[in-house]
Amino acid sequence: MEPQVKRLKTWHAVPMSEMARNTFNPIRSIVDGMKITPNPKKPMIALSIGDPTVFGNLPIPEEIDEAVIDKIRSHKYNGYNPSIGYEEARQAVADYTSSHDAPVTSKDVILTNGCSSALDLCITVLASRGQNILIPRPGFSIYKTLGESLGIQVRFYDLLPEKSWEVDLKHMESQMDENTAAVIVNSPSNPCGSVYSRQHIEEILEVLERNRIPMIADDIYEHFVFSENKYHSMASVSKTVPILSCSGLTKRFLVPGWRMGWIVVHDRSNAFHEIRIGLNSLSQRILGPNSLVQSALNDILKNTPQSFYAETLEYIEDNAKLFYKLISEIPGLKPVKPQGAMYMMVGIDTENFTNIKDDVDFTEKLVSEQSVFCLPAKCFQYPNFFRIVLTIPKEKVETACERIKEFCDLHYNGDSRSYISC
Amino acid sequence: MEPQVKRLKTWHAVPMSEMARNTFNPIRSIVDGMKITPNPKKPMIALSIGDPTVFGNLPIPEEIDEAVIDKIRSHKYNGYNPSIGYEEARQAVADYTSSHDAPVTSKDVILTNGCSSALDLCITVLASRGQNILIPRPGFSIYKTLGESLGIQVRFYDLLPEKSWEVDLKHMESQMDENTAAVIVNSPSNPCGSVYSRQHIEEILEVLERNRIPMIADDIYEHFVFSENKYHSMASVSKTVPILSCSGLTKRFLVPGWRMGWIVVHDRSNAFHEIRIGLNSLSQRILGPNSLVQSALNDILKNTPQSFYAETLEYIEDNAKLFYKLISEIPGLKPVKPQGAMYMMVGIDTENFTNIKDDVDFTEKLVSEQSVFCLPAKCFQYPNFFRIVLTIPKEKVETACERIKEFCDLHYNGDSRSYISC
Ligand SMILES: Cc1ncc(COP(=O)(O)O)c(C=O)c1O
Ligand SMILES: Cc1ncc(COP(=O)(O)O)c(C=O)c1O
């Protein structure tokens, strides 16, 4: 009897598509490549996790939960929504966002699956393959991931740590050409914790105006500014530059898992007629966020008590001040004072650390000796810095800083006075 | 004093990207172009709406609601999930899907924003620009929308109404070439309401096996079959053809707005090693569905009472039988007997209707005279049919059919006996 033909062998491996190959998260690939083995004698303190919910120290108010529970019980919101979102939910976002200098209506709002999907739609609608977009360095990694996966060239413009991470305007302008489809600006910033002044926003807008390039404003940390700073949205300052603003519930309402984001179209200069149509078309690819959260959006945006925002911010600002003070005193480190958001960047005088090559090496060794994990800023295209997350439980801040100090005391050989904090 | 320069005028309209231009929903553009003006003397009956929740006649069980409410109250599930989904939720899908002939584990599951986003990821990971995918005609419109927006060529293979919408296998094979990256198969089907037998699935798989083309199985109506039929998943029949199966809560659990879907990788022939990596990468573009629904998934899939499925199906099957019986008796119409899902297709003997050009014209006039709205099957690339949704309240079925009969009695001139139902 002949053996049965084994057909299994005849299938070759199916290759992944070009787009899948081009989709690449630098944080994942850097972190996955790191040796993260904590010192077994010390419990791990993770200063790396950008998710403000993981420590359980920042509660969300009952009003937010009850808004969703109400809608579940009503049984009225299980169905499909329009792909751009329920009218009522879009109206709620318009009311929440609209200001004297940047008035908008529900027609200007598109709901998305978190701010990431808002950014995806904005990049997708503005830029075609062969064009380029400008993104900040250091900057949030998803801009690059999204752009490159779409076959769009990504160019960096530098931020200046010595100027509280303001944009290097000359460098930004030098990166522009006739194929530049958009510039992404993020203030308050991840990973910098910087907040731009009205004047600096005007300077950025001037560069965009001169070159007729629209802006994508990543406003996910809107209103998230510490007491010495004032929040200005890009749109409230822009007189002429058309802006797509991306935001959502993720950060201010501390519900990143809910995946509720939005785009607000600020169509200065009547330039976005086609872009609105395009966003509408593209929204049909994603069909909008979860209907329960959509239906609760009006209640969430209107009934969340002011005290919740204030208390969350105060908590984070207290942490920021303590972190900044303690790390400023550590030889070989140079923190940049945070002004908002949830992060602080810290420069490393790597040249004067014995046996430490760079930020990845620094953060790996800090874990293995002190069980403190900070994200190397290589993840944000900015080597020789690391990022600290400011949302951790208060009581861990001092311990974390003591351990970082012990680490630096051991390894640093430079003159700490020559490496002074900004 | 010189007048201020009016910079406003100097911005040109910003053009939308190539991808936005290529994103196109045929249903929207056909329906938006139709004159839908009901007869003011008759209340409208919409047989067009694919959302089974809109009529309020198909309740969901409390278990489903309470599963989500529980998780909200626990405050443990507001944070980010892994982009492929919580391990526990993926395990729940694996348990729900796994069968003797198609065993899977949580490693084979990726959670997505509804079945649409599952389909999007599967098309995206398998096909590059310049390649093609094969999709059914008539078929659900999003396959074409997604494929073309990605720059992938979409080719149709015909289904045969006289064979209960089985695949025209010769035609399918004739559409394949070396650039064919995948074939999408949908059973139970929207818009056909057909359910493929085990034997027919084997025939389809043989064609794919011979040509070494992987399958995307749109299984969103899995288990949704009427009493005379038996459900076989593509994966349970496939011995060699690798399959990406797409499904979700949308249809069986009647919560389309919740946007909970998933991909299950059935890696026959060990061909999908790269595809798994690609799906992982691509999932980072969307970051997974709402965390509350994810966290409730295990409870939903395990605790939903069997009676709920049975009652929903019975309701729809009763409607199906009544619709089929009544429409079979109408001159000029030829319904194809539905076997599952929520739809029935009806052929129109357009040649013998006075002053009626095609299915779009037929359905427009049916609205204006009788206030009954059916979707012209042109929306599914299949002119001279229309689709009826079977989920409407029972008491409306007879009225709807009486009105359709009145309409046809008035306009039909052919010999009804020569146009017999399948
Ligand atoms: C600057 C910035 N933009 C966007 C996002 C993504 O927000 P979402 O979780 O709503 O997609 C984040 C999340 O960390 C962020 O830091
Ligand atoms: C055949 C088919 N596939 C996929 C979908 C989309 O499902 P979801 O709403 O989960 O994206 C539908 C919805 O009608 C459908 O009919």
Side-chain angles (χ1 to χ4, degrees):
Chain A
M1 216 177 87
E2 277 211 285
Q4 254 205 296
V5 180
K6 238 197 161 180
R7 295 174 109 179
L8 281 178
K9 290 240 170 98
T10 62
W11 277 79
H12 293 289
V14 176
M16 70 174 102
S17 67
E18 188 196 339
M19 181 160 174
R21 261 197 325 272
N22 290 340
T23 303
F24 181 79
N25 179 338
I27 297 195
R28 275 266 61 79
S29 69
I30 291 168
V31 173
D32 289 350
M34 284 173 75
K35 288 188 290 294
I36 303 171
T37 322
N39 179 344
K41 295 201 194 110
K42 301 190 177 196
M44 181 79 153
I45 302 180
L47 303 181
S48 56
I49 305 175
D51 182 340
T53 71
V54 286
F55 303 105
N57 55 334
L58 294 170
I60 68 169
E62 261 190 23
E63 284 85 349
I64 295 184
D65 294 340
E66 294 306 320
V68 181
I69 291 172
D70 251 26
K71 303 300 174 175
I72 293 178
R73 294 241 155 95
S74 81
H75 279 172
K76 281 198 218 137
Y77 302 96
N78 296 331
Y80 284 113
N81 315 320
S83 61
I84 53 170
Y86 279 133
E87 168 62 23
E88 198 207 359
R90 290 162 52 230
Q91 183 61 52
V93 172
D95 295 345
Y96 173 76
T97 307
S98 206
S99 69
H100 179 265
D101 293 325
V104 289
T105 72
S106 64
K107 289 199 185 64
D108 302 310
V109 176
I110 289 163
L111 303 186
T112 59
N113 297 315
C115 183
S116 303
S117 121
L119 290 162
D120 187 16
L121 254 62
C122 291
I123 296 172
T124 307
V125 79
L126 286 170
S128 293
R129 290 160 70 91
Q131 290 191 287
N132 65 74
I133 58 171
L134 269 48
I135 70 175
R137 177 171 57 198
F140 183 52
S141 59
I142 208 172
Y143 312 140
K144 186 164 183 282
T145 303
L146 292 171
E148 291 183 347
S149 94
L150 291 163
I152 294 159
Q153 195 200 356
V154 161
R155 296 181 181 177
F156 296 102
Y157 63 84
D158 286 332
L159 307 183
L160 302 167
E162 66 280 12
K163 294 184 72 180
S164 299
W165 302 109
E166 284 192 347
V167 174
D168 180 338
L169 298 164
K170 283 224 176 84
H171 185 247
M172 178 190 263
E173 194 154 12
S174 76
Q175 296 304 302
M176 295 174 170
D177 64 19
E178 70 283 4
N179 287 318
T180 305
V183 175
I184 300 183
V185 181
N186 173 223
S187 165
S189 154
N190 177 11
C192 300
S194 52
V195 176
Y196 292 158
S197 67
R198 185 177 186 94
Q199 193 197 327
H200 186 56
I201 296 173
E202 280 168 358
E203 291 166 352
I204 297 170
L205 287 166
E206 247 168 59
V207 178
L208 270 66
E209 165 67 19
R210 189 157 53 235
N211 294 277
R212 299 284 181 279
I213 297 174
M215 181 189 284
I216 299 172
D218 180 351
D219 293 332
I220 189 69
Y221 297 98
E222 56 185 344
H223 307 296
F224 228 107
V225 300
F226 300 152
S227 45
E228 286 170 24
N229 293 77
K230 195 165 153 27
Y231 175 67
H232 300 279
S233 71
M234 302 291 147
S236 70
V237 180
S238 175
K239 298 261 184 318
T240 53
V241 177
I243 295 178
L244 299 178
S245 159
C246 300
S247 187
L249 292 185
T250 298
K251 301 294 176 178
R252 198 169 187 216
F253 298 83
L254 300 173
V255 288
W258 292 16
R259 313 307 304 131
M260 171 55 76
W262 51 77
I263 300 166
V264 180
V265 180
H266 294 276
D267 188 8
R268 299 285 176 282
S269 308
N270 283 318
F272 273 168
H273 174 71
E274 257 201 32
I275 296 303
R276 286 176 192 273
I277 296 171
L279 287 172
N280 253 283
S281 301
L282 290 172
S283 75
Q284 295 178 352
R285 294 178 48 86
I286 59 168
L287 298 178
N290 179 277
S291 56
L292 301 173
V293 183
Q294 280 199 43
S295 63
L297 201 51
N298 189 47
D299 292 348
I300 293 173
L301 295 177
K302 289 187 180 146
N303 303 343
T304 299
Q306 208 57 40
S307 58
F308 164 68
Y309 306 131
E311 282 159 20
T312 308
L313 253 177
E314 199 185 309
Y315 191 103
I316 296 173
E317 183 167 0
D318 284 352
N319 275 358
K321 282 183 177 151
L322 189 55
F323 261 125
Y324 181 71
K325 178 174 164 290
L326 296 174
I327 291 188
S328 295
E329 293 163 1
I330 299 177
L333 297 186
K334 180 156 77 173
V336 184
K337 195 172 183 184
Q339 304 166 312
M342 308 175 162
Y343 314 98
M344 179 168 80
M345 286 278 272
V346 180
I348 314 166
D349 181 13
T350 31
E351 284 190 10
N352 291 304
F353 275 91
T354 316
N355 286 332
I356 284 180
K357 269 208 319 279
D358 56 14
D359 53 322
V360 175
D361 199 23
F362 182 97
T363 49
E364 273 183 353
K365 288 184 170 138
L366 184 59
V367 172
S368 63
E369 295 181 22
Q370 298 289 345
S371 300
V372 172
F373 183 33
C374 303
L375 218 52
K378 193 182 172 194
C379 295
F380 310 104
Q381 319 287 328
Y382 210 78
N384 296 327
F385 275 75
F386 60 84
R387 189 195 71 173
I388 277 178
V389 165
L390 304 174
T391 48
I392 68 158
K394 268 195 184 15
E395 60 278 12
K396 292 193 176 167
V397 176
E398 290 195 30
T399 317
C401 292
E402 276 161 25
R403 296 200 203 159
I404 298 173
K405 182 164 187 316
E406 199 177 313
F407 179 84
C408 292
D409 281 344
L410 192 68
H411 297 281
Y412 190 62
N413 298 311
D415 175 0
S416 62
R417 277 162 310 174
S418 74
Y419 196 72
I420 294 170
S421 321
C422 308
Chain B
M1 215 176 86
E2 277 210 285
Q4 257 205 293
V5 180
K6 239 197 158 183
R7 296 174 109 177
L8 281 179
K9 289 240 170 96
T10 62
W11 277 79
H12 293 290
V14 177
M16 70 174 104
S17 67
E18 189 196 337
M19 180 160 175
R21 261 195 326 271
N22 290 341
T23 303
F24 180 79
N25 179 337
I27 297 195
R28 275 266 61 78
S29 70
I30 291 167
V31 173
D32 290 349
M34 284 174 74
K35 286 188 291 295
I36 303 171
T37 322
N39 179 343
K41 294 200 195 111
K42 301 192 176 193
M44 182 79 152
I45 302 180
L47 303 181
S48 55
I49 306 177
D51 182 342
T53 72
V54 287
F55 304 105
N57 55 333
L58 294 170
I60 68 169
E62 262 190 22
E63 284 84 350
I64 295 184
D65 295 340
E66 294 307 320
V68 182
I69 291 171
D70 252 26
K71 303 299 174 176
I72 294 178
R73 293 240 156 95
S74 81
H75 278 172
K76 282 200 217 133
Y77 302 96
N78 296 330
Y80 285 112
N81 317 319
S83 61
I84 55 170
Y86 279 132
E87 168 62 23
E88 196 206 1
R90 290 162 50 229
Q91 183 62 53
V93 172
D95 295 345
Y96 173 76
T97 307
S98 206
S99 69
H100 179 265
D101 294 323
V104 289
T105 73
S106 63
K107 288 198 186 64
D108 302 309
V109 177
I110 288 164
L111 303 186
T112 60
N113 298 313
C115 184
S116 303
S117 120
L119 291 162
D120 187 16
L121 253 63
C122 292
I123 296 171
T124 307
V125 80
L126 286 170
S128 293
R129 291 161 68 92
Q131 289 191 288
N132 65 73
I133 58 171
L134 268 49
I135 69 175
R137 175 170 60 199
F140 183 50
S141 59
I142 208 171
Y143 312 140
K144 186 165 183 281
T145 303
L146 291 171
E148 291 184 346
S149 94
L150 292 164
I152 294 160
Q153 195 199 357
V154 160
R155 297 182 181 176
F156 297 102
Y157 63 84
D158 286 332
L159 307 183
L160 302 167
E162 67 279 11
K163 293 183 73 181
S164 299
W165 302 109
E166 285 192 348
V167 173
D168 180 339
L169 297 163
K170 284 225 177 82
H171 186 246
M172 178 189 264
E173 193 154 14
S174 76
Q175 296 303 303
M176 295 175 171
D177 63 21
E178 70 282 5
N179 288 317
T180 304
V183 176
I184 300 183
V185 180
N186 173 225
S187 164
S189 153
N190 177 11
C192 300
S194 51
V195 176
Y196 292 157
S197 67
R198 183 175 189 96
Q199 192 197 329
H200 187 55
I201 295 174
E202 281 168 357
E203 291 166 351
I204 297 170
L205 287 166
E206 247 169 59
V207 178
L208 271 65
E209 165 67 17
R210 189 156 54 234
N211 295 276
R212 298 285 182 276
I213 298 175
M215 181 189 285
I216 298 172
D218 181 351
D219 293 332
I220 189 69
Y221 297 99
E222 55 185 344
H223 307 295
F224 228 108
V225 299
F226 300 151
S227 45
E228 286 171 26
N229 293 77
K230 195 166 154 26
Y231 175 66
H232 300 279
S233 70
M234 302 290 148
S236 70
V237 180
S238 175
K239 297 263 183 318
T240 53
V241 176
I243 295 179
L244 299 179
S245 159
C246 301
S247 188
L249 292 185
T250 299
K251 301 294 176 179
R252 197 168 186 218
F253 298 82
L254 301 172
V255 288
W258 293 16
R259 312 307 304 131
M260 173 53 77
W262 52 75
I263 300 166
V264 181
V265 180
H266 294 276
D267 187 9
R268 298 286 175 283
S269 307
N270 284 318
F272 273 167
H273 174 70
E274 258 201 33
I275 296 302
R276 286 176 193 272
I277 296 172
L279 287 171
N280 253 282
S281 301
L282 289 172
S283 76
Q284 295 177 351
R285 294 179 47 86
I286 59 168
L287 299 178
N290 179 276
S291 56
L292 301 172
V293 182
Q294 280 199 44
S295 63
L297 201 52
N298 188 48
D299 291 349
I300 293 172
L301 294 177
K302 288 186 181 147
N303 304 343
T304 299
Q306 209 58 40
S307 58
F308 164 69
Y309 306 131
E311 282 159 22
T312 307
L313 253 177
E314 198 185 309
Y315 191 103
I316 297 173
E317 182 167 358
D318 283 352
N319 274 356
K321 283 184 176 150
L322 188 55
F323 260 125
Y324 181 71
K325 176 175 165 290
L326 296 175
I327 291 187
S328 295
E329 292 162 2
I330 299 177
L333 297 186
K334 180 156 77 172
V336 185
K337 195 171 183 184
Q339 303 165 312
M342 308 175 162
Y343 314 96
M344 180 169 78
M345 287 279 271
V346 180
I348 313 166
D349 181 14
T350 30
E351 283 189 11
N352 291 304
F353 275 92
T354 316
N355 285 331
I356 285 180
K357 271 206 317 277
D358 57 15
D359 54 323
V360 176
D361 199 24
F362 181 97
T363 50
E364 273 183 353
K365 287 183 171 138
L366 184 59
V367 173
S368 62
E369 294 180 24
Q370 297 289 346
S371 301
V372 171
F373 184 32
C374 305
L375 219 51
K378 193 184 171 192
C379 295
F380 310 103
Q381 319 287 329
Y382 211 78
N384 295 326
F385 274 75
F386 60 86
R387 189 195 71 174
I388 277 178
V389 165
L390 304 174
T391 50
I392 68 158
K394 268 193 184 15
E395 61 277 13
K396 291 193 177 168
V397 175
E398 288 194 32
T399 317
C401 292
E402 276 161 24
R403 295 199 203 160
I404 299 173
K405 181 164 189 316
E406 198 178 313
F407 179 85
C408 292
D409 282 343
L410 192 67
H411 297 282
Y412 189 63
N413 298 312
D415 175 357
S416 62
R417 278 160 311 174
S418 73
Y419 196 73
I420 292 168
S421 320
C422 307

